[in-house]
Amino acid sequence: MATRIFLSTLLFIGVTYVDGQAIPKPAADGRYTISARGIRAQFIPYGATLTNLFVKDKSGNEVDVVLGYDDAAYYPKDPSHPTYNAIPGRYANRISKGQFTIDGKTFRTQKNDGQNTLHSGTNNWSYRTWTVATVSDTSITFSIIDKENESTGMPGQVTANVTYSVFNSTWDMKMTATATAKTPLMLTQHTYFNLDAYKNPSTPLIWDHTLSLPHSKRYLAIDSSALPTGRILEAAPGSINDFYSKPNIALGHAKSASGFRGNCGGGCEGYNGFWLFEGHERGDVVVRLRSLWSGIGAEMRTDQVGVVLYTCAWSDGSANLKKTQGTGNRKKVERHSCIAIEAQDYVDGINRPEWGRVDAQITGPGEVYSWETSWTFGLL
């Protein structure tokens, strides 16, 4: 049986006490910082969000490789809410037609993405302030209790936590969750990268980064709303969605292809889809992102069965870069200037029994949902 976490919090000067344990308050900027050799990460409780991730480039300079805001208080205020490096839950990505069925009963969720639900609606976990359960020099744990219907339409109460740790240029993430009733559970870390920190004088765009998906020959076909159609396709060598046939394929390798516009949904140029991991063993690198300009490489390992890739097609150039990023005259997040990489289970698998993922995406009483992913950073 799972052990549930019940948190009682009392605030004293300088510290917070959680179940009798003293938790240091964040720094004056609202952030908690953890660090280890070659890596430094900062977090806020809102959305259990990573705000800054510093690694070394080829010149030995510390580079902040994820998107975010300078003002920690702006995360809950931003009306666009791009889910920068937060935990969307309790079911990540899309639910078709805003509904699903468990044991013959249909549940209806908030339609916040056309006729579909995205990340469980506008009160999902990336909109909530999590509790800081533990913190040390190298790790921090956030916890949340999601009551029935707080994530609109979701049955039962879910108790979840995420632990972020750093060591040897690696950022490690572990999530667990339990539920009081059968409910969909599919989590991810919604991390946005630009390995140049927008400092490349030639371009702020992501197309010069290279991507390797050595175990992802197949991907899910999507419709105009970026919802999977049910078909699983194979990427032919050199095709738009091929990051498998050879190492280190440029993200912009197919920019001139006739199908590049619309590849991630109606009118959407670039990527916003799900690739399957197949034929690999636990511990294998399943995603490799690189920048020749900064010399930074990032390798993902995960226990999940696939990954969502999104190349920031809907960034409109209005969001500010952090002071740790950009140049004197480059201060905005432009369209296609970042990539979100999200390890998870099949998108809308709860509604696609032909994929055989329904049982894996439902957690019931006495069961423990778990998710683990790490990124290791190094030089090319």
Side-chain angles (χ1 to χ4, degrees), residues 291-362:
S291 164
L292 290 175
W293 185 82
S294 68
I296 297 171
E299 296 181 338
M300 173 195 277
R301 295 170 175 84
T302 185
D303 63 359
Q304 297 300 290
V305 297
V307 66
V308 169
L309 304 173
Y310 163 58
T311 51
C312 300
W314 292 297
S315 296
D316 62 4
S318 62
N320 291 324
L321 293 171
K322 291 177 285 186
K323 292 178 181 178
T324 55
Q325 298 176 326
T327 60
N329 58 3
R330 183 180 295 155
K331 299 180 180 180
K332 299 290 185 178
V333 179
E334 299 182 30
R335 192 180 309 277
H336 306 308
S337 68
C338 54
I339 180 170
I341 303 180
E342 311 151 47
Q344 62 168 79
D345 211 294
Y346 287 44
V347 175
D348 197 34
I350 188 71
N351 286 313
R352 291 289 178 180
E354 66 268 32
W355 293 341
R357 303 304 304 171
V358 174
D359 289 346
Q361 295 188 8
I362 295 175

Side-chain angles (χ1 to χ4, degrees), residues 53-76:
L53 184 63
F54 297 96
V55 297
K56 296 293 183 67
D57 69 6
K58 63 186 179 183
S59 299
N61 299 316
E62 196 176 53
V63 178
D64 187 359
V65 296
V66 297
L67 275 67
Y69 310 116
D70 285 322
D71 183 3
Y74 186 65
Y75 284 83

Side-chain angles (χ1 to χ4, degrees), residues 85-141:
N85 322 319
I87 306 295
R90 63 178 77 168
Y91 190 91
N93 216 285
R94 288 167 174 81
I95 298 175
S96 62
K97 301 178 181 178
Q99 64 182 42
F100 58 88
T101 301
I102 296 177
D103 294 339
K105 181 178 179 180
T106 298
F107 297 85
R108 290 177 172 81
T109 52
Q110 179 190 4
K111 293 180 180 179
N112 64 322
D113 185 58
Q115 291 302 303
N116 306 313
T117 299
L118 179 62
H119 296 321
S120 303
T122 56
N123 193 35
N124 74 67
W125 298 359
S126 69
Y127 287 87
R128 314 269 191 91
T129 299
W130 295 48
T131 297
V132 180
T134 63
V135 61
S136 72
D137 291 342
T138 58
S139 71
I140 187 167
T141 297

Side-chain angles (χ1 to χ4, degrees), residues 199-259:
K199 296 179 183 296
N200 183 342
S202 299
T203 178
L205 304 186
I206 203 73
W207 302 133
D208 286 348
H209 282 46
T210 65
L211 184 72
S212 296
L213 301 176
H215 303 282
S216 297
K217 193 174 186 177
R218 299 197 299 162
Y219 63 97
L220 301 184
I222 58 175
D223 64 16
S224 61
S225 63
L227 184 77
T229 64
R231 293 187 301 154
I232 300 178
L233 305 180
E234 184 173 307
S239 63
I240 293 174
N241 293 306
D242 172 36
F243 295 99
Y244 167 85
S245 65
K246 59 182 180 180
N248 307 317
I249 296 173
L251 274 167
H253 76 279
K255 282 193 301 179
S256 61
S258 60

